[in-house]
């Protein structure tokens, strides 16, 4: 689990700047990326597509805001979703694998969690799971983010961009 403060005033231009090295690394490595988002509602995909040249490596994304869509559209095993809930490491990993499979990408990255202000499934606002899927398998990172609803959503997208940068630079 990683505790991270809200990163200060965020907006889409800041996220696009964070996405620039992701797109550059994906182009260099010849690998494609897909996204699956819940609490961020498309912010991650918007940041990636805000970078010139993204169409060479960004395959697409799924917005699975409703829990049932995580299974029917996102590819998360329905029994696992019922057992662990929408806000879980298992769901984040499943969403990432589903995004990669459904979009035909080398790497899938997913965000699920609680933006707030109210708790969900017993998890407080700021609980976020970032899952990813690549050739090496599926992994996740649990985040505890601070701030209001908007700050949590932007911080989650920024964290996912950081994960993507690390994945693309390491493989």
């Amino acid at each position: 689990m990683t505790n991270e403060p809200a990163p200060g005033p965020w907006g889409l231009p800041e996220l696009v700047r964070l996405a620039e090295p992701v797109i550059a690394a994906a182009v260099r490595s010849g690998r494609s990326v897909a996204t699956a988002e819940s609490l961020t509602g498309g912010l991650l995909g918007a940041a990636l597509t805000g970078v010139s040249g993204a169409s060479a490596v960004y395959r697409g994304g799924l917005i699975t805001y409703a829990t049932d869509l995580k299974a029917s559209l996102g590819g998360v095993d329905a029994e696992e979703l019922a057992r662990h809930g929408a806000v879980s490491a298992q769901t984040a990993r499943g969403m990432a694998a589903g995004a990669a499979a459904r979009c035909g990408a080398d790497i899938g990255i997913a965000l699920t969690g609680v933006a707030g202000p109210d708790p969900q499934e017993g998890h407080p606002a700021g609980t976020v799971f970032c899952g990813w899927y690549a050739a090496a398998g599926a992994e996740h990172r649990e985040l505890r983010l601070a701030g209001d609803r908007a700050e949590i959503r932007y911080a989650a997208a920024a964290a996912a961009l950081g994960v993507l940068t690390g994945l693309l630079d390491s493989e």
Side-chain angles (χ1 to χ4, degrees):
M1 174 179 10
T2 303
N3 292 316
E4 297 183 22
W10 279 101
L12 190 54
E14 289 80 11
L15 288 178
V16 170
R17 280 193 283 283
L18 292 176
E20 289 171 350
V22 172
I23 297 300
V27 168
R28 277 193 310 275
S29 70
R31 287 178 289 164
S32 57
V33 175
T35 55
E37 300 179 68
S38 183
L39 80 151
T40 49
L43 283 174
L44 181 56
L48 291 166
T49 59
V51 178
S52 179
S55 60
V57 293
Y58 182 66
R59 295 283 300 154
L62 310 170
I63 300 174
T64 57
Y65 200 71
T67 299
D68 63 306
L69 290 181
K70 290 169 179 59
S72 64
L73 181 61
V76 177
D77 180 84
E79 289 180 13
E80 192 164 281
L81 183 60
R83 186 170 40 257
H84 299 287
V87 182
S88 69
Q90 294 83 354
T91 296
R93 292 190 306 261
M95 288 169 60
R102 282 163 166 68
C103 295
D106 299 309
I107 296 172
I109 188 145
L111 289 164
T112 187
V114 186
D118 298 322
Q120 181 181 343
E121 299 177 353
H123 297 283
T127 304
V128 176
F129 291 90
C130 177
W132 59 92
Y133 173 85
E139 295 291 336
H140 76 277
R141 180 178 297 159
E142 182 177 355
L143 307 168
R144 297 290 180 176
L145 304 172
D148 64 20
R149 183 175 173 79
E151 290 169 327
I152 290 168
R153 293 175 71 234
Y154 278 96
L161 290 167
V163 166
L164 276 173
T165 299
L167 279 173
L168 289 161
D169 285 342
S170 69
E171 288 189 359

